[in-house]
Amino acid sequence: RFITGIFLDKGVRCSVPLKIAAIFAIISDFLLFHSHDYESYLHGQFFLGTAAGIYWPAAELIVPISCQDFPSSKGFALVRTADALGICIGSFLGTAASWLDSIRFIYFLDFFCMVIFLITINKKLFEDQQRITINKNSDINNLSKVNINNKKFNSFKLILPILFLSLYATSILSLLQSGLPFDLLNGGTNRPPLNETLSGLLITVQLILLLVLQWPIGNWLSNKDIKFGLKLSLISLLNASLLLAISSSVTFGLFLVSIALILIAIGLTSFLPTATEAIVKLSNHSNKGITMAMFSQCFGISSIIAPITAGKLIDYYGNGIILWISMSIIAILLFPLVNRIIIED
């Protein structure tokens, strides 16, 4: 991610890392499809992880460039909707392949998608896009290197609140796929444990909620102040965490879990497009690549730390009460950071 961000700031077209990422993904599909031992599987995962790291900063940055006369806030809302749709379709096809005992079909499917992806980004629309360079702001050309570095440092300070908020929101997103299913299967002090089928059904419903709500909420918030969207997200995730903590102690806990899932969907669909738009507006033209890399890195960090932490807490205490109370407290502590975000039109 960071290396891609640096090259983007040096003037590399956004379409270049996207093409490289697609090629690495195709290589990974070939290796994973033919893997029959741990070592060959590890080689495939290496190429897959590299593809994802190269892809994200460029994929985020190309959105405002491609929007042109279309508001970038609506563009990010539309892109997040496409993300949600892709996740739903991929989960469905992956589940179907597993039921048919043909799980390696997913690698063939990914190969087909990457070929379509390469054809798409080779269209003239992408080739004509501007580069992310210092030249996009003529005032920067007249500054000394010291002043440019100062502007970069100030830009990094401005996005720090967004990065902390992103780590929290992406941790919740990660817990939906790890900590929450574990908590539901394990049961609470009074809430009975769910079987794997019901637990999986709830997570499926959550994915559908994200898909259904992403565009309406994202489009609505595109006309609102960025702080409003971030506050709505934090309040929703805070209340959802509180409900999940309480659900463990009551017999009607499953009902509270269902309400919490709706609040989480509102919180995440509010946060993802709003935070990305904030990063674009807060970073200057000379370091948009590296700041977007830092933002996307939050997804990687939380996907590693959150599941491990959740597993240890649930194993130690026997339920998810402490986990969700902790997430509620973190949300309260992060709330003042929203007011420190200053975005000038």
Side-chain angles (χ1 to χ4, degrees):
R1 284 186 171 102
F2 285 118
I3 293 174
T4 302
I6 290 171
F7 276 103
L8 288 171
D9 287 337
K10 290 183 178 297
V12 174
R13 291 182 184 274
C14 290
S15 58
V16 173
L18 293 179
K19 293 175 184 177
I20 295 173
I23 293 171
F24 271 77
I26 289 173
I27 295 173
S28 75
D29 292 329
F30 178 80
L31 293 174
L32 290 170
F33 186 83
H34 293 92
S35 62
H36 295 287
D37 53 46
Y38 179 77
E39 185 177 355
S40 58
Y41 179 78
L42 194 62
H43 291 160
Q45 289 294 330
F46 170 81
F47 280 96
L48 185 61
T50 304
I54 294 172
Y55 170 84
W56 278 112
E60 300 284 15
L61 272 181
I62 206 167
V63 175
I65 297 174
S66 301
C67 284
Q68 297 178 355
D69 296 331
F70 189 73
S72 59
S73 55
K74 291 183 182 292
F76 281 120
L78 193 59
V79 167
R80 295 307 177 198
T81 304
D83 289 341
L85 178 60
I87 291 171
C88 283
I89 294 175
S91 300
F92 172 76
L93 293 176
T95 303
S98 179
W99 284 344
L100 297 172
D101 198 25
S102 302
I103 192 63
R104 288 179 186 259
F105 170 75
I106 61 174
Y107 302 130
F108 174 78
L109 177 65
D110 189 64
F111 170 81
F112 176 76
C113 290
M114 287 300 103
V115 171
I116 299 298
F117 182 77
L118 276 173
I119 294 173
T120 303
I121 61 177
N122 273 305
K123 296 288 186 181
K124 196 174 187 300
L125 171 66
F126 284 90
E127 292 301 325
D128 289 344
Q129 299 304 331
Q130 300 174 12
R131 295 178 172 89
I132 302 296
T133 63
I134 295 178
N135 293 330
K136 292 186 74 175
N137 189 337
S138 58
D139 293 336
I140 298 179
N141 293 327
N142 299 322
L143 297 174
S144 66
K145 286 187 176 181
V146 174
N147 287 333
I148 292 175
N149 289 332
N150 287 336
K151 285 179 71 68
K152 288 183 178 181
F153 179 71
N154 291 331
S155 178
F156 290 142
K157 287 198 300 183
L158 288 174
I159 68 169
L160 271 179
I162 296 290
L163 295 180
F164 284 119
L165 294 170
S166 299
L167 282 172
Y168 175 76
T170 53
S171 293
I172 293 287
L173 181 60
S174 179
L175 290 175
L176 283 178
Q177 305 167 36
S178 55
L180 180 59
F182 185 26
D183 184 23
L184 295 175
L185 289 171
N186 199 51
T189 52
N190 288 308
R191 187 190 68 218
L194 292 182
N195 57 45
E196 290 187 14
T197 302
L198 285 177
S199 178
L201 179 62
L202 280 177
I203 303 305
T204 302
V205 170
Q206 178 66 35
L207 291 175
I208 295 173
L209 276 174
L210 288 173
L211 172 61
V212 172
L213 294 178
Q214 183 62 80
W215 172 247
I217 292 180
N219 185 47
W220 172 60
L221 289 176
S222 66
N223 300 315
K224 302 286 185 180
D225 181 65
I226 284 179
K227 289 184 181 181
F228 177 82
L230 295 176
K231 287 179 180 178
L232 174 63
S233 174
L234 268 183
I235 291 172
S236 301
L237 296 178
L238 165 62
N239 288 317
S241 298
L242 287 173
L243 286 177
L244 288 173
I246 296 172
S247 71
S248 181
S249 305
V250 295
T251 54
F252 56 94
L254 186 58
F255 174 72
L256 296 182
V257 170
S258 301
I259 298 176
L261 289 178
I262 297 174
L263 290 174
I264 289 176
I266 294 173
L268 292 178
T269 53
S270 301
F271 179 82
L272 293 174
T274 306
T276 315
E277 175 73 2
I279 290 290
V280 171
K281 288 189 173 182
L282 287 172
S283 56
N284 59 55
H285 291 296
S286 63
N287 63 346
K288 283 188 183 294
I290 193 66
T291 52
M292 193 58 75
M294 294 170 67
F295 172 67
S296 64
Q297 192 71 2
C298 294
F299 290 80
I301 294 172
S302 60
S303 66
I304 295 173
I305 296 177
I308 295 175
T309 305
K312 289 185 178 297
L313 287 174
I314 295 175
D315 278 340
Y316 186 80
Y317 292 101
N319 55 63
I321 294 179
I322 299 301
L323 169 65
W324 301 116
I325 289 178
S326 300
M327 298 306 291
S328 302
I329 293 173
I330 293 173
I332 294 172
L333 294 176
L334 288 175
F335 207 86
L337 290 181
V338 178
N339 294 323
R340 295 181 58 181
I341 299 172
I342 302 174
I343 298 177
E344 299 179 358
D345 294 329

